[in-house]
Amino acid sequence: MTQLHEIIAYNEKFVEEKQYEPYMTSKFPNKKLVVVTCMDTRLTELLPKALNIHNGDVKTIKNAGAIITQPFGNIMRSVLVALYELGASEVMVVGHHDCGMTGINPESTVGKMVDRGVSDNTINTLKHSGLDLMRWLRGFENVHSSVENSVNIIRNHPLLPPGTPVHGLIIHPETGKLDLVTEGYEIAAANA
């Protein structure tokens, strides 16, 4: 049986037995918080436990590295939707130690794309179409600086509601220990 078919078979039983009932909640976050974090598998259960968040408490936005690079990209749009439409009032960016985006080499990634069947022609077309492919694929050298950068993009966004606290933290992916990078309450109060 394929992985997809295993998931579908499990899901049928999950729904039939109403195993979803303990997870029922509304679309509005109880703690009025939106969390931007990494898609790292070690954080799937650890991060909510370490932050004492449960189903329905926060809006969670995940991507590779908890990186916000585009002020008008999908991540920032999701943050703004959470703030304006879904009742969130604070933002937290949570990066982590030992992130796969640390020191990622875009040239190596492109090489892996070619090895897996993406044509050189496609790569060259993208490189010459106005997309800075190497910048788009680049990670970061320092998680602390990366979190600060993402926080600053949010804090300085022209559409951010004035007075919105934006915090930055780093979590240890084994222990769940949090390191505060920047707290947003004072800055938010000054901008309110």
Side-chain angles (χ1 to χ4, degrees):
M1 182 181 295
T2 66
Q3 185 166 277
L4 173 62
H5 291 103
E6 285 178 17
I7 288 170
I8 290 171
Y10 175 86
N11 179 259
E12 288 172 359
K13 182 179 174 189
F14 179 86
V15 173
E16 181 181 301
E17 295 175 0
K18 297 184 180 185
Q19 294 178 39
Y20 55 83
E21 289 179 344
Y23 307 104
M24 293 179 76
T25 186
S26 80
K27 64 182 175 180
F28 302 102
N30 297 328
K31 293 191 177 185
K32 302 194 180 311
L33 178 66
V34 56
V35 176
V36 177
T37 192
C38 185
M39 64 184 192
D40 190 295
T41 56
R42 296 171 291 179
L43 302 182
T44 301
E45 291 189 40
L46 178 66
L47 184 121
K49 298 271 193 248
L51 274 61
N52 191 31
I53 54 179
H54 302 90
N55 193 53
D57 281 348
V58 303
K59 290 295 182 186
T60 304
I61 303 166
K62 294 183 174 189
N63 73 359
I67 302 171
I68 299 175
T69 56
Q70 302 293 323
F72 291 94
N74 290 336
I75 301 299
M76 192 63 216
R77 180 183 62 204
S78 296
V79 168
L80 293 171
V81 166
L83 292 168
Y84 283 106
E85 298 293 334
L86 300 172
S89 58
E90 292 187 41
V91 181
M92 184 180 292
V93 176
V94 184
H96 67 94
H97 297 287
D98 190 34
C99 183
M101 291 299 286
T102 305
I104 196 167
N105 179 337
E107 290 82 10
S108 173
T109 304
V110 169
K112 291 173 184 173
M113 291 174 180
V114 171
D115 289 347
R116 291 185 63 180
V118 176
S119 72
D120 286 324
N121 188 42
T122 297
I123 300 297
N124 288 328
T125 299
L126 290 173
K127 285 181 179 178
H128 295 97
S129 68
L131 170 67
D132 185 344
L133 188 59
M134 296 306 141
R135 181 179 180 277
W136 185 67
L137 291 170
R138 187 178 321 136
F140 51 80
E141 295 305 317
N142 178 297
V143 67
H144 190 278
S145 297
S146 178
V147 168
E148 281 182 329
N149 185 59
S150 292
V151 166
N152 286 332
I153 288 173
I154 299 169
R155 280 185 183 156
N156 295 308
H157 200 281
L159 299 176
L160 185 74
T164 301
V166 182
H167 317 288
L169 297 102
I170 300 171
I171 190 169
H172 192 288
E174 292 174 13
T175 67
K177 181 186 183 305
L178 291 172
D179 298 319
L180 182 63
V181 173
T182 180
E183 180 198 296
Y185 294 120
E186 285 184 26
I187 295 168
N191 293 331

